Amino acid sequence: MGTVEKKIEELGITLPEMRPPVANYVPAVRTGNLLFLSGSIPAKRPDGTEVRGKLGDDLSVEEGYEAARLVGINLLAVLKATLGDLDKVKRIVKLLSMINAAPDFTETPAVANGCSDLMVEVFGDKGKHARSAVGMASLPLNVPVEVEMVAEVED
Amino acid sequence: MSVPGARLVYTSGRTPRRRDGSFITGKLGDGLSVKEGYEAAQLTVLNLLASLKAEIGDLDRVSQVVKILAMVNSTQDFIEQPAVANGASDLLVEIFGERGRHARSAIGMEALPFNVAIEIEMIVEVSPQDA
């Protein structure tokens, strides 16, 4: 087991099995040393339940933070499935964190931190990324957070 | 994977603009059906490809469609953005085959320019001119 996966295990996280998308797109595309990931939605909680809802309406910032962390777990699963070994990640380059938000909800950064914190916990300095955190009118399946990622990977 | 010397081209967000200059307008979840949204996404791809062709000359130089960001004009409770975005994804794969299989995000926007139904931006990998 690689260093990064050991770290994930220490954090008590089990990466989910990757399910291929049900439409004409793929989880990730590599071009050169950059890997572009499709927008991920939150993984199921360890107890099997799913998080749904809108920030500023039926979810608290804390619940949004948890949802963003669960999105990060799915992104890690995509990286693992694509690269085989998470130690091949050289740098998390950028996250676009899209938050399902009521029109007057403005704490999108506090929600996006759930995913950003996880990347730094897992990858250390290599996990420090550029980021945008924005509020959406609505998201697929009424998920609270969708995040897409660009990562730099080894040759 | 990647063609040696390949470059990335980032398009601006394009919209469902018809040949006569008019747009497919409206909001999903409020008067516009998923089918109409799907068609708007198809038309948006044609506009993206027009931009791309103007930039790179020959669409055969596209070695890989890398990613699209499909921004769907949506009410607060519309949640079928993937079904709308499929209009774009399906057409890209029909046109480019395996090279058209891209990463994607599909999201709901509060408002878009001119009240268009969808706006899509795209990243493609392009092989060198002399390849």
Side-chain angles (χ1 to χ4, degrees):
Chain A
M1 187 187 293
T3 314
V4 171
E5 271 184 75
K6 207 164 285 173
K7 186 73 203 175
I8 289 171
E9 194 178 75
E10 282 169 23
L11 291 168
I13 293 168
T14 307
L15 295 184
E17 287 295 315
M18 270 278 307
R19 286 171 304 176
V22 291
N24 258 331
Y25 67 101
V26 293
V29 171
R30 180 174 176 167
T31 171
N33 283 357
L34 292 180
L35 192 63
F36 289 79
L37 274 61
S38 292
S40 273
I41 65 173
K44 287 181 180 171
R45 297 189 186 95
D47 67 5
T49 59
E50 293 181 325
V51 53
R52 296 286 186 268
K54 196 181 284 288
L55 276 293
D57 184 4
D58 45 13
L59 287 182
S60 68
V61 168
E62 292 71 28
E63 289 168 315
Y65 179 96
E66 183 213 5
R69 189 175 175 90
L70 290 168
V71 175
I73 289 171
N74 263 346
L75 288 167
L76 292 172
V78 174
L79 286 173
K80 161 85 176 148
T82 307
L83 298 170
D85 178 0
L86 286 171
D87 288 354
K88 290 183 180 165
V89 173
K90 287 173 78 175
R91 185 78 196 242
I92 306 298
V93 176
K94 186 169 144 336
L95 300 181
L96 176 58
S97 290
M98 300 165 280
I99 319 293
N100 191 353
D104 57 355
F105 182 79
T106 57
E107 294 175 80
T108 44
V111 172
N113 285 345
C115 188
S116 293
D117 289 349
L118 179 63
M119 292 307 145
V120 176
E121 284 172 40
V122 167
F123 293 105
D125 279 347
K126 292 190 293 182
K128 289 184 182 165
H129 49 274
R131 180 183 97 180
S132 300
V134 290
M136 315 310 296
S138 50
L139 286 175
L141 307 171
N142 198 32
V143 295
V145 188
E146 174 174 344
V147 182
E148 60 170 44
M149 173 192 278
V150 183
E152 185 190 9
V153 299
E154 283 179 7
D155 292 335
Chain B
M1 284 302 150
S2 210
V3 178
R7 293 283 185 270
L8 294 182
V9 176
Y10 286 69
T11 74
S12 294
R14 294 302 314 262
T15 56
R17 187 176 185 273
R18 300 187 187 94
R19 208 172 270 279
D20 66 5
S22 66
F23 298 95
I24 298 179
T25 58
K27 201 179 272 291
L28 276 289
D30 182 19
L32 213 58
S33 69
V34 168
K35 181 170 179 292
E36 288 168 313
Y38 183 98
E39 288 166 1
Q42 288 178 314
L43 182 58
T44 302
V45 164
L46 298 183
N47 282 281
L48 282 163
L49 295 183
S51 291
L52 192 59
K53 181 168 161 59
E55 186 66 29
I56 67 173
D58 181 355
L59 290 176
D60 287 352
R61 288 179 61 205
V62 173
S63 51
Q64 178 70 50
V65 179
V66 175
K67 192 175 90 66
I68 65 170
L69 178 61
M71 300 168 277
V72 180
N73 195 346
S74 301
T75 59
Q76 285 277 329
D77 56 1
F78 180 76
I79 61 173
E80 295 177 80
Q81 288 85 9
V84 172
N86 283 347
S89 295
D90 289 346
L91 186 54
L92 287 169
V93 172
E94 281 172 41
I95 290 172
F96 293 105
E98 282 304 307
R99 295 178 300 156
R101 287 190 194 280
H102 50 276
R104 171 181 109 178
S105 299
I107 52 181
M109 313 309 288
E110 190 72 37
L112 289 174
F114 312 117
N115 197 34
V116 291
I118 187 168
E119 176 173 344
I120 303 178
E121 60 172 45
M122 179 167 74
I123 306 169
V124 298
E125 185 195 77
V126 174
S127 60
Q129 197 115 41
D130 52 6

